[in-house]
Amino acid sequence: MTLSPYWLKSGLEILFPPVCAICRRIYQPIEGFTGICRQCLPLLNLRTGKQQILSWPADLLSGIPADSVILCSGYYQGMLRQALIRLKFSDAPEIALALGSLLIRMLRCSNQIFTAVAAVPLHRNRLHERGYNQAGLLARKVSDDMKIPDLSTCLQRNRETLRQSAQQGRTERLANLFGAFSLAWNTQKSNTIQTWTELKNNQPGQETSNHLLLVDDIFTTGATLTAAAYPFWQIGWHVTGLVVASNRPGRT
């Protein structure tokens, strides 16, 4: 007898019931919120409306396009802050699926068309130390759900910087990141090479229709996200930042 997909799925859920990535308890899935239970969802300090739209820190780098914004799901407080800290420092990559679903829900409501997504990269030493790039996991979730290419391997970190959380102010954070990112024209993944070749523009300043989602987990002063976006701005791409949490105020 061949089991139908419905019965197979039900059997697997009995053997391996879904667990909330936030509180780690068995839960009943909520449509549109992967890995988040009904008890945790209202405790995540999520943003709504214009509070989801943040401005780039124009005082850090000149030439940021006036119409560029950063989309942010929630406030870096309470349970959402705890989840991000676990994702970043406690070897809990499964949390990225849950937090990524918050990003997807926000993007679907934005009614914008995006060409590609890329994650703010870690230096290879820090990536080896952590085992994964939390922003990369979020970008992969966005790529899969939004059906757009993930160009994370095309953005590289040239040198290992000091931890941004250890820098005292905006000036120190920007100085720490100056020249830290560049575009990798010859990435090793063949499918990414083809996509990147089709989308890239070798003529700085020439207008393109390419619209990139640049993903990071937390937006504090904006120095990291801005420095990572700069190489794309240099080749004429439109960049929208995409972050899980920040305590910066939304646009009014």
Side-chain angles (χ1 to χ4, degrees):
M1 181 180 68
T2 303
L3 291 175
S4 70
Y6 171 80
W7 289 110
L8 182 59
K9 181 174 181 290
S10 299
L12 289 174
E13 287 180 349
I14 292 173
L15 292 173
F16 306 102
V19 175
C20 174
I22 308 299
C23 67
R24 290 170 279 193
R25 293 179 295 194
I26 295 174
Y27 79 110
Q28 185 68 32
I30 311 172
E31 185 176 357
F33 293 99
T34 304
I36 304 174
C37 72
R38 297 182 185 277
Q39 286 71 37
C40 289
L41 185 59
L43 303 177
L44 289 180
N45 301 305
L46 298 181
R47 294 171 179 253
T48 59
K50 291 184 177 180
Q51 282 300 310
Q52 294 178 331
I53 304 174
L54 310 183
S55 298
W56 290 89
D59 58 320
L60 292 182
L61 283 175
S62 61
I64 296 176
D67 59 344
S68 293
V69 299
I70 297 161
L71 301 178
C72 178
S73 288
Y75 294 94
Y76 189 54
Q77 301 168 7
M79 193 170 285
L80 187 57
R81 178 178 181 274
Q82 294 171 20
L84 283 162
I85 290 174
R86 282 177 53 216
L87 171 63
K88 201 165 186 174
F89 300 114
S90 299
D91 192 21
E94 68 279 1
I95 296 177
L97 288 177
L99 301 183
S101 70
L102 302 179
L103 300 179
I104 297 300
R105 189 175 181 85
M106 181 172 57
L107 289 173
R108 295 199 188 284
C109 293
S110 72
N111 295 318
Q112 296 187 65
I113 297 175
F114 302 100
T115 307
V117 62
V120 173
L122 293 175
H123 187 269
R124 60 181 178 275
N125 293 342
R126 196 156 295 160
L127 180 61
H128 178 74
E129 173 188 310
R130 188 169 298 168
Y132 58 85
N133 177 8
Q134 69 281 355
L137 297 179
L138 294 168
R140 190 181 309 162
K141 169 70 173 173
V142 171
S143 172
D144 291 344
D145 282 47
M146 301 297 290
K147 310 301 182 190
I148 55 177
D150 183 354
L151 299 182
S152 295
T153 59
C154 298
L155 180 62
Q156 62 186 7
R157 202 157 191 148
N158 302 321
R159 57 185 173 80
E160 187 171 16
T161 56
L162 300 173
R163 292 189 183 277
Q164 284 295 87
S165 56
Q167 307 308 301
Q168 297 302 310
R170 296 163 72 88
T171 302
E172 290 80 4
R173 286 179 179 236
L174 184 59
N176 183 42
L177 290 164
F178 183 77
F181 301 98
S182 65
L183 297 178
W185 303 110
N186 297 310
T187 179
Q188 297 301 309
K189 294 187 177 180
S190 59
N191 60 331
T192 306
I193 290 175
Q194 182 179 0
T195 303
W196 180 229
T197 301
E198 292 172 353
L199 295 176
K200 75 179 181 180
N201 182 341
N202 284 310
Q203 300 300 319
Q206 183 175 337
E207 290 296 325
T208 76
S209 59
N210 293 325
H211 191 168
L212 180 82
L213 280 168
L214 184 60
V215 182
D216 206 357
D217 52 349
I218 304 164
F219 183 75
T220 307
T221 65
T224 302
L225 198 67
T226 304
Y230 194 65
F232 287 102
W233 283 326
Q234 285 185 307
I235 61 169
W237 281 39
H238 187 81
V239 180
T240 291
L242 182 64
V243 298
V244 176
S246 175
N247 285 332
R248 294 176 67 87
R251 286 190 168 185
T252 56

